[in-house]
Amino acid sequence: ATLGYDVDTMHIFYSGIGGAGIGPLALIAKQAGYDVSGSDKQDSQYIQYLQKHGITNIHIGQTTEQIAAVHDSNPIDWYVYSSAVTKEQKHPVELQFVNDQNIHSSKRDDLLNQIISDKKLKLIAVAGTHGKSTTTAMVVWLFNQLHIPLSYSVGAKLSYGEMGQYQKGSDYFAYECDEFDRNFLSFEPFLSVISGVTWDHHEIFPTREDYQQAFKEFISQSAHTICWQEDYDYLGLTSVTRIDVQNTDHPHIHDITLAGLYNRLDAWLAIQAVHETTKTPVKKLIKIMNEFPGLSRRMEQIIPNLYSDYAHTPEKIRGAMS
């Protein structure tokens, strides 16, 4: 659907622009040719990073006066806000302002869908309770090493690229597709990759069945899905026509030499996704994957024998300790 704007001149304002989900999306929009501005409650290294990369119109503090001044100087076409804005503020003043001005507003997912549509991209969505960031980063690594253009957004820092980027000439957009707040149900992926499912986000999904049902809906919205046999069984899936079910004992997984069983399993899913989309032989992809440098806070070595990891559930901690 069009909103009556010129794609080439659309002005997008990001609230919470320093966040891990919103910030990379702002950078992607800037690279894709949109006019970008934003605000956040506090300054951060990432905001300074965005400013150095051309997003200079960022306000620290979130007031009606500040967003009104931005709108007066260059009318805002689309206001994007993170889930945290409405959870942390009972009456967000920016959101009230854009509603009063009849400015289109949404969470990040609607805008990302618009960018994907505007740029005619196919979505590779990586979803799951654990392994999303690593698997998405591995897809990016493989595309980079194959010198195939890729647009993407990952919720972790990479040593070999931005957290998010739009690359001209790309056919695909790889996205770490989060189930929190049911965000992932906003998308209809060309290819979805399920990295592992265990009941999480209990404040959003009160029962295990609610969580399972959300993943089943997400898979039903995907043209094609890659998942593990154990997740296929856990979710009670029955269709096999659009689902490529993988087994964790596949002999080629032993050819992956990355440290950590769960790293190797995530790597296998990434390899399958890139094989599916680029038709690159699996053996070549394994060789490239064995050089994967890792990503921030995913068993990241700080000094010898000291590592940092983002694991924050019992299952994720067990995976990290492996």
Side-chain angles (χ1 to χ4, degrees):
T2 60
L3 298 171
Y5 60 79
D6 183 336
V7 168
D8 294 328
T9 59
M10 179 168 67
H11 178 195
I12 309 167
F13 185 98
Y14 293 86
S15 181
I17 198 167
I22 292 288
L25 187 55
L27 191 58
I28 288 162
K30 177 71 175 175
Q31 292 169 341
Y34 303 99
D35 194 0
V36 174
S37 62
S39 68
D40 211 305
K41 291 189 302 180
Q42 60 213 4
D43 200 359
S44 67
Q45 284 185 324
Y46 192 65
I47 285 177
Q48 293 165 24
Y49 176 85
L50 292 174
Q51 290 170 330
K52 288 176 183 175
H53 284 74
I55 305 176
T56 55
N57 193 5
I58 297 176
H59 293 274
I60 305 305
Q62 296 174 316
T63 66
T64 302
E65 291 74 20
Q66 284 176 329
I67 193 169
V70 172
H71 185 58
D72 286 344
S73 64
N74 181 10
I76 297 167
D77 297 300
W78 197 321
Y79 173 84
V80 182
Y81 60 98
S82 68
S83 300
V85 169
T86 51
K87 292 184 186 302
E88 293 176 1
Q89 303 175 45
K90 193 171 183 180
H91 301 292
V93 295
E94 288 183 344
L95 193 56
Q96 184 62 53
F97 172 81
V98 298
N99 288 340
D100 291 344
Q101 297 293 322
N102 292 317
I103 297 168
H104 182 72
S105 66
S106 74
K107 293 185 180 178
R108 58 183 173 170
D109 312 315
D110 288 347
L111 176 66
L112 184 54
N113 270 326
Q114 189 70 47
I115 293 173
I116 289 169
S117 174
D118 288 347
K119 302 301 179 182
K120 297 178 174 57
L121 300 168
K122 297 175 185 175
L123 179 63
I124 302 172
V126 181
T129 317
H130 36 78
K132 290 187 295 292
S133 296
T134 301
T135 306
T136 310
M138 287 171 164
V139 169
V140 174
W141 170 255
L142 291 173
F143 268 86
N144 279 0
Q145 297 304 299
L146 291 169
H147 304 293
I148 298 173
L150 178 72
S151 298
Y152 65 87
S153 177
V154 186
K157 292 179 181 177
L158 310 178
S159 63
Y160 49 90
E162 310 284 356
M163 288 175 66
Q165 75 166 21
Y166 169 75
Q167 195 164 358
K168 194 173 181 180
S170 54
D171 293 322
Y172 294 98
F173 189 98
Y175 184 51
E176 180 182 341
C177 208
D178 195 358
E179 77 275 16
F180 179 76
D181 217 12
R182 302 181 185 269
N183 287 328
F184 67 166
L185 296 181
S186 300
F187 299 98
E188 296 181 358
F190 172 79
L191 173 65
S192 65
V193 180
I194 309 298
S195 58
V197 184
T198 311
W199 183 27
D200 196 8
H201 299 305
H202 305 161
E203 75 280 26
I204 306 294
F205 305 97
T207 69
R208 188 182 305 275
E209 289 72 26
D210 288 334
Y211 195 72
Q212 290 169 318
Q213 183 57 37
F215 272 90
K216 289 168 77 171
E217 285 181 35
F218 175 70
I219 290 168
S220 74
Q221 293 169 194
S222 306
H224 184 196
T225 298
I226 298 171
C227 72
W228 295 113
Q229 180 71 56
E230 62 187 53
D231 291 319
Y232 183 91
D233 296 338
Y234 177 76
L235 294 173
L237 300 172
T238 54
S239 169
V240 293
T241 54
R242 298 182 303 141
I243 303 177
D244 180 2
V245 181
Q246 297 289 319
N247 290 299
T248 55
D249 61 355
H250 194 290
H252 282 340
I253 294 175
H254 298 296
D255 297 330
I256 300 171
T257 58
L258 298 176
L261 171 62
Y262 288 90
N263 258 351
R264 295 192 290 274
L265 295 179
D266 290 342
W268 182 249
L269 292 178
I271 286 166
Q272 293 304 307
V274 177
H275 172 67
E276 174 70 25
T277 50
T278 69
K279 307 308 177 190
T280 304
V282 168
K283 286 188 176 181
K284 179 177 180 179
L285 294 173
I286 289 173
K287 187 175 180 181
I288 296 171
M289 185 60 78
N290 285 338
E291 301 299 320
F292 177 66
L295 65 163
S296 172
R297 298 198 65 195
R298 286 7 179 232
M299 287 312 290
E300 178 185 16
Q301 181 170 296
I302 308 302
I303 58 173
N305 297 320
L306 178 64
Y307 292 80
S308 172
D309 194 85
Y310 192 64
H312 52 274
T313 67
E315 295 83 5
K316 294 177 183 180
I317 292 167
R318 280 197 294 271
M321 294 303 291
S322 80

